[in-house]
Amino acid sequence: RREGAAARKIRIMSTRSMPRSLVKLYREILTAHRELPPMHRRLGDDYVRLEFRQHRGAADSFMMPFERQWRDYLLQLRRAGHGGRDLTDDELLSLSDEQKEKLGTVFEKYT
């Protein structure tokens, strides 16, 4: 059976110390991104891949809030429909310096 690049990435990810619930969440987010405009989808997919890849194998004390925040994001995506939404001022202010840097790097790639 021939599998696509996305399926291979998910399969590889699932074998490297990521709980099944997070692998499922990762897949659901990428699926939800299909409803976004092409540029937003590429930006979102790259950022999700980066975040999940970098936090693979992190301590449980970190992964619980990590999963909760990504579940909240998925819920917001589903509620927003096709267009997505901008981050609020409070959300932008609450980002860590590292998160701001990552978001800026991904954003620069697509603008």
Side-chain angles (χ1 to χ4, degrees):
R1 182 180 93 181
R2 189 171 175 207
E3 69 181 346
R8 278 193 301 277
K9 287 179 184 176
I10 290 170
R11 183 180 46 76
I12 290 167
M13 180 182 193
S14 66
T15 62
R16 296 193 184 149
S17 33
M18 186 67 71
R20 287 180 193 227
S21 63
L22 280 173
V23 173
K24 184 176 186 276
L25 176 60
Y26 175 79
R27 289 177 180 153
E28 289 173 355
I29 292 169
L30 293 180
T31 299
H33 281 177
R34 292 179 188 161
E35 300 297 322
L36 297 172
M39 188 175 108
H40 294 174
R41 178 181 179 184
R42 286 191 304 272
L43 175 72
D45 286 354
D46 284 355
Y47 188 72
V48 169
R49 286 185 186 111
L50 177 68
E51 282 290 302
F52 276 72
R53 187 177 303 125
Q54 287 184 341
H55 295 98
R56 192 179 311 145
D60 287 343
S61 60
F62 176 84
M63 293 310 284
M64 289 175 65
F66 178 83
E67 183 172 359
R68 184 177 55 251
Q69 289 172 349
W70 281 108
R71 286 200 183 284
D72 290 346
Y73 168 74
L74 179 59
L75 184 61
Q76 290 174 6
L77 254 183
R78 288 176 173 163
R79 286 182 181 160
H82 300 302
R85 68 170 182 80
D86 292 334
L87 293 173
T88 66
D89 289 339
D90 287 339
E91 289 169 331
L92 286 172
L93 290 172
S94 71
L95 294 175
S96 70
D97 290 340
E98 182 183 359
Q99 288 171 318
K100 290 175 187 173
E101 184 179 325
K102 286 180 192 174
L103 191 57
T105 300
V106 173
F107 186 72
E108 285 176 11
K109 186 176 177 179
Y110 295 101
T111 57

